[in-house]
Amino acid sequence: MIKRIIHFFSSLKLTIFTLILLAFTSIIGTVIQQRQNPLLYIQRFGEPLYQIFKFLGFFDVYHSWWFMGLLLILALNLLFCSIRRFPRDWKILVTQKIKLSETELQAFTSKEKITIENSTVDQTLKNVLNAMKKGGFPCKEKVKDEKGWYLFSEKGKYGRLAFYITHLSIILIFLGAIIGAAKGFKGFVNITEGEKIDSIITTSQDGKSISKKLGFEVECKKFEITYYTDEEGNPTYRPKDYKSLLSIYEQGKEEYTKEIEVNHPLVYKGIYFYQSSYGDIPTLAITVQTSEGDLVDHFKVGEKESFHFLDKNDQKIAVQVLRYLPDFIMDQNRQYATRSNIPNNPAALLQIRRSNNQTERTWVFQRIPNFPHSKSTDYKFTLTSINAKKKYTGLQVAWDPGVPVVWAGCIILILGIIIIFSVPHHRLWVTITNGGKYQTINIIGSTNKNKPSFQTIFLKFITAFKSSLADTKK
Amino acid sequence: MISSKLFGVAMIIYIIAALIYVSYLVFRNVKVGNVATLVTFIGLIIHTAALISRTVASFQKGIGQPPFTNLYSSMVFFSWTIILVYLILEFKFKQKTIGAFVTPIAFACLGFATLLSDEIEPLVPALQSNWLLSHVVTCFFGYAAFAVACGISIMYLIRVYFEERSTENTGILKIFPPSDLLDELTYKAIVIGFPFLTIGIITGAAWANYAWGTYWSWDPKETWSLITWFVYAAFLHARFAAGWKGKKTAILSIVGFCFVLFTYLGVSFLLSGLHSYA
């Protein structure tokens, strides 16, 4: 039973079958968008099909039980193949057989027989050794017995190990991926220019956002963006480059500072901070007037921030900017939205709270200063200008302790593949059987891969070998 | 642009080369074969000059990018790698007949490129990386080797089709190289392509890790490149170890190249993902 299981898992048919199956099932995840909102799927496929697809894991193919199962089968297959093959290769590497038996000699396809007349065995040995060298296969080992000499030569012996390093490197890559999935984390954080954060937002397995403490603080000291210029040298809206100057603080003490940009992350304690996006933090300038037109005050506030002033009776009136839309529109569902991030039609939703806790809300528009407030208030609010100079930097944060293992696996894989195809193990046995006045020379060649091209090499060797022997005779 | 005109010239030269290769197939005249190789080589030189001039133009515009950062330029580059890989194979294995099947592919790529805009566009920040060069070059050499393998496999299937119907050594059978040789050459081309594809995927992963913080995100382009890798890995195991030969591996090689084409073009046009810029 165990033998059959080993046989099953080490079979080459399983390798080919698993690879082709992996190829075709991987397609599913590129056709169906992965990890979307269930409602979107139901809308698209209908409830019954949705349930079937969900059961089959089609909405998260690459993490489904059966895909993992296929990868596991592949890993086991690699492992079993290597284990099953190893003893044979080890024997060849460590204890090369120099004297082949008659039946072993018959098993090879590349062979040649030459008879040398009128020579002594010692003379022939000398000539053969010389001829082997000339043919490109110098003798590595020789053994003598009562029948004659047994000579052996080989090339690319350690090429045999490429099989193992190639296949085990893939297991190493899998291991790295498992380590990363089990111990690492991925998240993001937005930091306003000039501010510090000490935690990031990560997504849990079931799609919920969780705040994660970093154990240190990160400050965005500065954010800069440059744009491509057009033919006349005017800036366009295509960003050329954006950079953040980040500083790390441990217990309030500045430890490390680096300017990051796309493709150039900051690394601290193995945690990578990647520049991934940016956005505006607008400051709104709002003027408050009484209904008679007398100026009360000017205020500068950001979104979600508040300001307050006192009315005629010295009662506090607090105003909060609930929402800011740079390019205000009302969409088909009569929802307020923004068309773009360019301030084409800036609008703010204000919430006004009086001392008696009575609240009212109103929209104000920069381009339409006389747009009537939603309720009759005794004050007039005007959005006079928008300052969008302040920005936030969007960072991806990742810690993946499996990455070095994955890279090690990748580098070994590349080396392994190159060696596998370029370093075959060629072996050559030459036996000299002494018949007194004549000697019979048997030449046998063998390779572990690509027999046809070895045959060419073998024939070339034979030609060189024979001509060398012929030369020494003269 | 001067480079676009040069690409046009290269395109015309390749179609001429293809015609000469076909006449070589028919007449089996060594001189005709040598002329075909020479013409292809001249095409390659002009093609190379065009690539260099496009790169120089890009630097002059202050963009400074290698010549394969949008569909037009990558197509032009793909065509270049196909011819280069083919000429290397021809030189190594002394088989000129395959040229009749490979030069038209290079011609078609350049022809397709002429339908696209040849504008040199600025690079989005994510593409401004030293990884770009190694990633794209290795991928395209892999693709080119697979394209050549596919061409040879098609020749193989055509030859076998006629072999099964006729015992006489006439017509196609007289023109095409023996099926064993075609089979062997398919395998050789894939052996060249596979390490390149592997390095291409890995440099892509390294770059992704550096730029996006994750070496693998199952984005459609990544996934399709892996699918292609699976198919060719299956081919190599079938051929190398299990001793499959002939029709089965020829079909696998053609399927593999269809997957390459989908990875390169299909994904960009039909599926959405991180590789939206190329």
Side-chain angles (χ1 to χ4, degrees):
Chain A
M1 185 63 197
I2 291 172
K3 227 178 182 178
R4 273 178 67 183
I5 291 172
I6 292 175
H7 202 264
F8 172 77
F9 276 114
S10 61
S11 87
L12 199 62
K13 272 193 186 138
L14 183 71
T15 317
I16 297 166
F17 179 74
T18 315
L19 285 171
I20 290 179
L21 210 58
L22 275 170
F24 281 93
T25 52
S26 294
I27 298 175
I28 300 167
T30 65
V31 180
I32 299 174
Q33 286 232 331
Q34 301 286 289
R35 292 184 169 196
Q36 301 282 304
N37 189 323
L39 291 172
L40 279 174
Y41 290 131
I42 295 172
Q43 205 178 1
R44 214 175 135 199
F45 300 110
E47 185 70 31
L49 206 55
Y50 167 76
Q51 290 298 344
I52 296 171
F53 280 8
K54 199 185 163 198
F55 174 74
L56 293 173
F58 282 6
F59 303 129
D60 196 3
V61 172
Y62 312 112
H63 303 89
S64 67
W65 57 271
W66 55 265
F67 196 80
M68 291 289 162
L70 280 176
L71 290 177
L72 182 71
I73 290 174
L74 188 69
L76 286 176
N77 187 222
L78 293 169
L79 207 61
F80 276 81
C81 277
S82 304
I83 293 170
R84 197 173 147 190
R85 197 181 148 128
F86 191 68
R88 204 187 67 202
D89 272 352
W90 185 247
K91 225 170 151 184
I92 289 173
L93 283 179
V94 179
T95 54
Q96 178 57 56
K97 217 172 171 186
I98 310 292
K99 275 169 84 170
L100 294 181
S101 69
E102 201 58 38
T103 42
E104 279 171 315
L105 289 178
Q106 294 307 316
F108 293 99
T109 43
S110 303
K111 51 189 162 194
E112 184 71 32
K113 196 172 180 174
I114 305 166
T115 309
I116 308 280
E117 310 269 358
N118 302 322
S119 177
T120 64
V121 70
D122 291 342
Q123 187 57 44
T124 306
L125 174 69
K126 207 179 133 202
N127 293 345
V128 164
L129 285 175
N130 192 31
M132 279 173 82
K133 211 182 206 168
K134 287 246 168 77
F137 280 90
C139 177
K140 291 262 169 77
E141 275 181 76
K142 51 182 193 284
V143 178
K144 193 188 177 184
D145 74 357
E146 66 279 2
K147 282 191 203 156
W149 283 92
Y150 302 86
L151 315 175
F152 175 72
S153 177
E154 67 182 340
K155 272 182 188 169
K157 173 176 169 179
Y158 293 102
R160 277 184 188 269
L161 291 175
F163 173 90
Y164 301 98
I165 66 166
T166 306
H167 289 96
L168 296 178
S169 73
I170 291 171
I171 293 181
L172 206 58
I173 294 172
F174 283 174
L175 271 182
I178 292 168
I179 293 171
K183 292 177 77 185
F185 63 79
K186 278 190 183 79
F188 73 92
V189 65
N190 292 337
I191 314 177
T192 309
E193 203 177 342
E195 286 179 10
K196 278 183 203 164
I197 54 97
D198 62 355
S199 58
I200 59 157
I201 297 156
T202 59
T203 317
S204 69
Q205 293 256 310
D206 48 356
K208 284 191 193 121
S209 296
I210 318 166
S211 172
K212 187 176 175 67
K213 287 263 175 217
L214 287 172
F216 52 86
E217 287 180 303
V218 187
E219 182 188 31
C220 172
K221 285 198 157 156
K222 207 173 166 193
F223 179 82
E224 271 183 330
I225 181 161
T226 50
Y227 296 95
Y228 278 111
T229 50
D230 61 16
E231 312 268 307
E232 283 92 46
N234 300 314
T236 63
Y237 274 105
R238 299 181 72 129
K240 185 177 180 185
D241 217 349
Y242 40 102
K243 301 173 185 173
S244 310
L245 187 64
L246 298 185
S247 286
I248 305 284
Y249 292 85
E250 287 269 17
Q251 281 139 13
K253 213 177 119 227
E254 191 173 327
E255 288 285 334
Y256 181 51
T257 300
K258 191 188 174 191
E259 186 174 69
I260 65 159
E261 58 188 298
V262 178
N263 285 327
H264 299 283
L266 174 147
V267 191
Y268 185 72
K269 287 189 170 167
I271 303 176
Y272 281 71
F273 294 85
Y274 302 89
Q275 181 73 69
S276 80
S277 63
Y278 60 89
D280 294 328
I281 306 261
T283 310
L284 317 183
I286 294 173
T287 303
V288 186
Q289 288 164 293
T290 61
S291 46
E292 289 85 38
D294 297 333
L295 178 72
V296 176
D297 212 341
H298 300 291
F299 295 96
K300 285 209 160 107
V301 280
E303 200 180 354
K304 301 275 189 283
E305 289 177 357
S306 319
F307 60 91
H308 59 82
F309 56 91
L310 300 175
D311 70 5
K312 279 169 266 177
N313 308 319
D314 277 350
Q315 295 293 311
K316 194 164 138 186
I317 296 178
V319 182
Q320 189 188 10
V321 180
L322 289 180
R323 261 181 108 181
Y324 165 70
L325 300 176
D327 197 355
F328 182 94
I329 50 156
M330 197 187 280
D331 66 16
Q332 302 106 313
N333 308 323
R334 301 188 62 77
Q335 297 287 317
Y336 305 124
T338 187
R339 211 172 350 209
S340 69
N341 282 323
I342 301 160
N344 289 325
N345 183 19
L349 179 62
L350 305 181
Q351 177 168 276
I352 302 142
R353 184 186 294 272
R354 288 159 197 283
S355 51
N356 59 3
N357 263 346
Q358 188 196 341
T359 61
E360 58 198 76
R361 288 178 181 189
T362 188
W363 279 100
V364 289
F365 298 89
Q366 189 188 358
R367 301 278 149 85
I368 323 164
N370 291 323
F371 189 82
H373 294 346
S374 52
K375 275 187 190 158
S376 59
T377 61
D378 37 0
Y379 291 95
K380 185 172 187 283
F381 298 92
T382 328
L383 184 56
T384 51
S385 68
I386 310 291
N387 186 338
K389 269 190 188 145
K390 206 169 179 189
K391 294 199 188 297
Y392 70 83
T393 179
L395 306 177
Q396 289 227 25
V397 186
W399 181 61
D400 188 342
V403 166
V405 181
V406 171
W407 290 155
C410 287
I411 290 166
I412 298 172
L413 175 66
I414 294 172
L415 290 177
I417 290 179
I418 292 172
I419 298 171
I420 266 195
F421 294 119
S422 58
V423 186
H425 185 198
H426 291 162
R427 288 182 290 168
L428 203 77
W429 291 268
V430 181
T431 61
I432 305 168
T433 314
N434 193 6
K437 277 199 168 171
Y438 68 96
Q439 285 83 37
T440 318
I441 302 169
N442 272 300
I443 306 162
I444 290 118
S446 141
T447 180
N448 60 337
K449 56 195 67 156
N450 202 358
K451 296 217 161 68
S453 80
F454 175 69
Q455 189 58 30
T456 326
I457 294 169
F458 183 75
L459 292 176
K460 243 186 201 163
F461 170 78
I462 295 296
T463 317
F465 186 84
K466 278 183 178 167
S467 78
S468 166
L469 280 186
D471 284 349
T472 48
K473 265 199 167 164
K474 283 172 205 163
Chain B
M1 253 184 291
I2 190 164
S3 62
S4 307
K5 289 203 181 97
L6 286 175
F7 286 132
V9 174
M11 185 174 102
I12 293 163
I13 292 179
Y14 290 150
I15 195 68
I16 294 171
L19 292 173
I20 305 175
Y21 272 119
V22 170
S23 42
Y24 169 72
L25 266 182
V26 178
F27 301 115
R28 282 299 171 136
N29 183 315
V30 180
K31 271 184 190 160
V32 175
N34 289 340
V35 171
T37 308
L38 183 70
V39 170
T40 313
F41 189 68
I42 292 169
L44 183 73
I45 289 172
I46 292 173
H47 202 156
T48 312
L51 285 173
I52 293 170
S53 106
R54 188 174 164 91
T55 311
V56 169
S58 151
F59 273 97
Q60 279 167 352
K61 277 185 87 176
I63 294 164
Q65 50 169 281
F68 38 69
T69 47
N70 62 12
L71 188 59
Y72 172 84
S73 49
S74 71
M75 209 44 146
V76 162
F77 184 70
F78 183 38
S79 167
W80 183 80
T81 50
I82 289 175
I83 292 292
L84 184 66
V85 168
Y86 166 70
L87 283 177
I88 292 169
L89 276 178
E90 189 196 290
F91 180 75
K92 216 177 149 196
F93 299 106
K94 313 276 179 244
Q95 277 302 321
K96 290 180 190 292
T97 43
I98 299 148
F101 282 76
V102 176
T103 43
I105 302 179
F107 165 76
C109 288
L110 280 179
F112 180 66
T114 57
L115 304 175
L116 304 163
S117 156
D118 64 351
E119 198 62 37
I120 297 177
E121 285 162 352
L123 279 179
V124 295
L127 283 181
Q128 301 163 7
S129 167
N130 294 332
W131 287 104
L132 176 74
L133 192 74
S134 50
H135 173 57
V136 179
V137 169
T138 47
C139 281
F140 274 93
F141 269 102
Y143 291 178
F146 295 142
V148 173
C150 172
I152 304 170
S153 295
I154 293 171
M155 282 177 84
Y156 176 88
L157 289 182
I158 294 173
R159 185 178 163 108
V160 168
Y161 176 87
F162 283 99
E163 262 176 11
E164 281 166 1
R165 272 156 195 78
S166 154
T167 47
E168 280 170 56
N169 194 22
T170 53
I172 293 280
L173 295 184
K174 203 176 166 195
I175 293 168
F176 279 23
S179 51
D180 272 358
L181 181 69
L182 290 172
D183 187 67
E184 181 69 18
L185 285 175
T186 303
Y187 169 71
K188 287 264 157 72
I190 289 174
V191 162
I192 292 170
F194 192 68
F196 276 113
L197 179 66
T198 311
I199 299 172
I201 292 174
I202 290 173
T203 49
W207 183 11
N209 188 57
Y210 209 58
W212 297 315
T214 170
Y215 57 84
W216 198 262
S217 49
W218 294 104
D219 130 276
K221 196 89 161 187
E222 277 176 353
T223 310
W224 271 93
S225 68
L226 186 67
I227 291 169
T228 319
W229 193 85
F230 283 144
V231 173
Y232 285 108
F235 174 96
L236 289 172
H237 282 89
R239 172 67 216 249
F240 205 72
W244 285 18
K245 271 191 96 172
K247 266 193 199 170
K248 274 200 277 187
T249 41
I251 289 167
L252 210 49
S253 147
I254 294 168
V255 169
F257 188 62
C258 292
F259 279 30
V260 167
L261 280 183
F262 194 81
T263 308
Y264 174 31
L265 299 172
V267 174
S268 307
F269 287 123
L270 302 173
L271 309 168
S272 59
L274 292 169
H275 266 82
S276 47
Y277 31 71

